[in-house]
C-alpha cells in the first residue's frame, strides 16, 4: 500500500520538497532511483516502495534517514537534475500571464490544432470528440476547417488598461464602439472556437440535433441532452465535459474534469482583480465552500495519483457551515467573490478538493482552521 506523501517542485530554490508518512524506524534506505524520477524506500517488512517525483532529481541520490526523521514521518529536500530547461520552463509557468494564456489550458486551440494536423498526416479519421454518454464520434476532426481560441472572458473589462489614456467617448475608437464591434465571435462553417472550459461551433455541421431556443441540444446518436446553453451573443456553448477526446493513439479517450471550469474562473479573477477569496456555491442545492487561493503554478505529486499534477492552485478551503458563517461575518463582501456553478461542477470541484486533502500526510492536511488541497490544471505522465 502506498503511504501518504506529498512532493512539490520549488523552481527558484531548484529543489523538490517531500514529506512521506511512514515510520522512520522501519526505513532501511532512502534514495532516488536510477533515473531520478522516483523516490525508493527500502523497508524492513515489505517490498520497496516507489513514489513519483514532480520533476527529475539526481539519479541514485542518497538521503540520510536519521536527518529526515520526524514524528511518524520523514521530510527532506532533493536537488533538481541540473537540466536548466526544467527550471526555466517552471519559472515561466508560475506567472499569472502564463497561467491565463489560452495555450496552456486543457484541450486548448493550440493542442487541438496540433492533434488535427497529426491526424491528417497519419490519415486517422477516428480522431475527434466523442459523445461522453454513448462514446460515438460526433465531431470528427477530419471535418474541421478551422480551430480558433476564444479571447479571455474579461477582455472588454481589461481593455481600459491597454491604453495610456482612456479611449474617447462616442467616437469611432471609443470603448463602447470597440466593445460592440468585437463583443461577439461567431464560428464559421465547420469551425471550432475553443474557450477555457467550453467549445463553440455550429451544431448543424456535426452529429448534434437541432438546438432548442434556450440552447439545449442532443446527441444525434443517443439523443442524450448535452449541457449546452446560449450565450449573450447568440452562440451556443458546449461544456467540454459533454465530450471525450479521442486522439487516435490512446486506447482510452480523455475526459475533461468539470472542476476545470471553476479553476479557470478562479485564475481569471485572480488575474483581473487580485481577489484570492471565493465563496463557491452550487446553483441547485445551495451547498457552499469558502476557497482561499493561496498559491498557483505548482507542480506536485501525491498519493492521490501516480501522475504529475501540473500548474496546481494551492487551495485552502472551509466547508462547515459554522466556518462559512464566521468567514462572512469577519470578511467584507468586497474582499471575496461569489461564484455560482452547476451542481455537477460543484461536485467535481468538491470531490477533487477532498480527495487531494485526504491524500496528503496528516501534518500537511490543515493550516490553522483551513483544509489544504491542490487543484491541478492537468494530470500528466511526465
Amino acid at each position: 500500500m502506498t503511504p501518504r506523501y506529498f512532493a512539490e517542485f520549488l523552481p527558484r530554490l531548484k529543489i523538490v520538497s517531500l514529506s512521506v508518512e511512514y515510520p522512520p524506524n522501519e526505513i532501511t534506505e532512502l534514495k532516488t532511483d536510477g533515473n531520478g524520477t522516483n523516490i525508493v524506500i527500502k523497508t524492513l517488512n515489505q517490498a520497496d516502495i516507489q513514489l513519483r517525483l514532480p520533476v527529475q532529481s539526481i539519479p541514485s541520490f542518497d538521503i540520510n534517514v536519521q536527518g529526515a526523521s520526524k514524528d511518524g514521518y520523514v521530510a527532506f529536500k532533493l536537488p533538481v537534475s541540473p537540466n536548466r530547461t526544467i527550471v526555466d520552463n517552471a519559472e515561466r509557468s508560475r506567472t499569472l500571464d502564463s497561467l491565463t494564456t489560452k495555450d496552456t489550458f486543457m484541450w486548448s486551440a493550440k493542442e487541438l490544432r496540433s492533434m488535427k494536423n497529426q491526424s491528417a498526416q497519419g490519415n486517422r479519421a477516428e480522431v475527434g470528440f466523442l459523445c461522453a454518454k454513448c462514446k460515438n464520434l460526433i465531431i470528427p476532426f477530419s471535418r474541421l476547417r478551422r480551430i480558433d481560441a476564444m479571447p479571455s472572458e474579461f477582455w472588454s473589462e481589461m481593455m481600459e488598461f491597454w491604453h495610456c489614456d482612456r479611449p474617447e467617448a462616442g467616437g469611432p475608437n471609443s470603448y463602447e464602439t470597440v466593445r460592440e464591434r468585437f463583443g461577439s465571435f461567431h464560428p464559421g462553417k465547420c469551425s471550432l472556437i475553443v474557450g477555457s472550459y467550453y467549445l463553440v461551433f455550429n451544431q448543424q455541421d456535426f452529429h448534434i440535433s437541432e438546438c432548442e431556443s434556450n440552447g439545449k441540444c442532443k446527441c444525434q446518436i443517443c439523443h442524450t441532452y448535452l449541457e449546452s446553453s446560449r450565450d449573450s451573443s447568440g452562440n451556443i456553448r458546449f461544456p467540454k465535459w459533454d465530450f471525450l477526446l479521442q486522439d487516435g493513439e490512446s486506447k482510452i479517450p480523455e475526459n475533461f474534469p468539470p472542476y476545470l471550469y471553476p479553476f479557470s474562473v478562479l485564475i481569471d479573477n485572480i488575474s483581473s482583480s487580485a481577489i484570492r477569496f471565493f465563496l463557491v456555491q452550487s446553483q441547485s442545492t445551495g451547498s457552499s465552500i469558502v476557497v482561499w487561493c493561496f498559491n498557483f503554478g505548482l507542480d506536485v505529486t501525491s498519493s492521490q495519483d501516480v501522475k504529475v499534477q501540473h500548474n496546481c492552485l494551492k487551495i485552502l478551503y472551509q466547508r462547515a457551515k459554522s466556518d462559512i458563517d464566521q468567514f462572512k461575518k469577519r470578511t467584507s463582501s468586497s474582499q471575496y467573490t461569489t461564484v455560482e456553478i452547476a451542481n455537477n461542477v460543484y461536485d467535481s470541484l468538491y470531490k477533487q478538493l477532498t480527495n487531494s486533502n485526504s491524500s496528503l500526510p496528516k501534518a500537511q492536511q490543515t493550516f490553522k482552521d483551513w483544509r489544504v488541497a491542490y487543484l491541478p490544471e492537468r494530470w500528466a505522465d511526465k
Side-chain angles (χ1 to χ4, degrees):
M1 182 178 178
T2 301
R4 282 189 290 209
Y5 85 101
F6 175 74
E8 178 183 352
F9 174 37
L10 305 173
R12 291 184 180 178
L13 299 178
K14 302 181 181 63
I15 61 172
V16 177
S17 176
L18 287 97
S19 178
V20 184
E21 197 171 90
Y22 200 88
N25 61 339
E26 296 182 15
I27 298 175
T28 59
E29 188 178 7
L30 193 59
K31 64 188 300 183
T32 59
D33 64 8
N35 296 319
T37 55
N38 297 281
I39 278 290
V40 180
I41 302 175
K42 294 184 179 294
T43 70
L44 295 171
N45 303 319
Q46 61 177 328
D48 294 353
I49 300 170
Q50 286 200 351
L51 305 176
R52 180 70 181 272
L53 297 175
V55 295
Q56 186 179 16
S57 181
I58 296 175
S60 303
F61 185 86
D62 285 303
I63 298 100
N64 185 318
V65 177
Q66 186 174 358
S69 298
K70 306 293 180 184
D71 186 13
Y73 67 100
V74 290
F76 52 95
K77 295 176 175 59
L78 292 172
V80 173
S81 169
N83 179 351
R84 286 292 307 173
T85 304
I86 295 175
V87 177
D88 293 343
N89 288 345
E91 283 288 6
R92 285 194 293 270
S93 73
R94 288 171 68 91
T95 66
L96 271 176
D97 286 343
S98 68
L99 284 176
T100 55
T101 181
K102 299 306 174 184
D103 289 339
T104 62
F105 55 66
M106 190 173 178
W107 300 1
S108 68
K110 181 179 179 180
E111 179 183 354
L112 298 180
R113 279 195 296 265
S114 174
M115 196 176 295
K116 172 178 166 55
N117 293 337
Q118 291 176 8
S119 67
Q121 294 170 5
N123 194 27
R124 295 177 294 182
E126 73 277 9
V127 173
F129 286 113
L130 316 180
C131 170
K133 183 70 174 180
C134 67
K135 297 179 175 55
N136 283 297
L137 184 65
I138 56 177
I139 306 177
F141 280 13
S142 58
R143 191 179 296 184
L144 285 173
R145 297 179 181 177
R146 186 182 178 100
I147 301 175
D148 295 301
M150 179 69 80
S152 168
E153 301 290 323
F154 297 95
W155 77 270
S156 61
E157 287 87 342
M158 297 298 290
M159 191 172 68
E160 294 181 45
F161 300 101
W162 301 341
H163 301 268
C164 295
D165 300 302
R166 182 179 172 83
E168 60 182 296
N173 298 317
S174 69
Y175 172 82
E176 292 77 13
T177 302
V178 173
R179 184 174 64 177
E180 182 177 352
R181 182 181 177 188
F182 298 104
S184 61
F185 301 84
H186 302 287
K189 183 173 178 58
C190 293
S191 66
L192 193 66
I193 299 178
V194 183
S196 56
Y197 60 91
Y198 60 88
L199 306 173
V200 176
F201 53 86
N202 295 313
Q203 44 75 216
Q204 64 268 23
D205 296 333
F206 306 103
H207 300 296
I208 294 176
S209 63
E210 188 69 29
C211 298
E212 300 173 2
S213 59
N214 61 357
K216 289 295 181 184
C217 309
K218 292 181 180 179
C219 167
Q220 275 186 353
I221 302 172
C222 67
H223 308 294
T224 298
Y225 269 109
L226 306 175
E227 293 183 44
S228 54
S229 60
R230 195 177 299 275
D231 65 20
S232 59
S233 64
N235 288 325
I236 296 176
R237 292 187 177 189
F238 295 84
K240 291 180 180 178
W241 54 87
D242 273 342
F243 310 102
L244 302 173
L245 180 59
Q246 178 63 60
D247 62 8
E249 295 180 351
S250 306
K251 292 183 179 179
I252 302 175
E254 184 179 42
N255 71 303
F256 186 91
Y259 78 73
L260 285 178
Y261 166 42
F263 177 97
S264 68
V265 171
L266 299 182
I267 285 291
D268 280 342
N269 273 277
I270 294 170
S271 177
S272 62
S273 64
I275 291 286
R276 293 294 185 106
F277 291 94
F278 300 86
L279 178 62
V280 182
Q281 297 178 325
S282 168
Q283 292 173 340
S284 56
T285 66
S287 301
S288 60
I289 51 174
V290 172
V291 167
W292 177 8
C293 295
F294 194 78
N295 205 348
F296 56 85
L298 308 177
D299 287 349
V300 307
T301 51
S302 74
S303 52
Q304 183 181 2
D305 198 286
V306 295
K307 294 183 177 181
V308 178
Q309 302 170 45
H310 284 297
N311 276 347
C312 291
L313 277 171
K314 182 176 182 178
I315 298 290
L316 276 59
Y317 68 101
Q318 295 177 327
R319 60 186 184 183
K321 185 179 183 304
S322 57
D323 291 333
I324 295 173
D325 290 341
Q326 283 298 315
F327 172 83
K328 289 179 179 179
K329 286 180 180 179
R330 66 174 183 263
T331 309
S332 166
S333 59
S334 62
Q335 294 178 303
Y336 68 92
T337 296
T338 300
V339 177
E340 291 190 352
I341 52 180
N343 191 51
N344 64 317
V345 179
Y346 179 90
D347 288 344
S348 174
L349 173 65
Y350 186 79
K351 180 180 180 181
Q352 169 55 28
L353 292 179
T354 53
N355 286 348
S356 173
N357 177 259
S358 63
S359 71
L360 299 175
K362 286 186 177 180
Q364 293 181 292
Q365 288 183 358
T366 58
F367 174 75
K368 297 184 178 179
D369 55 346
W370 297 82
R371 293 177 181 266
V372 179
Y374 292 82
L375 204 60
E377 184 183 47
R378 282 180 181 270
W379 303 78
D381 292 323
K382 60 180 180 180

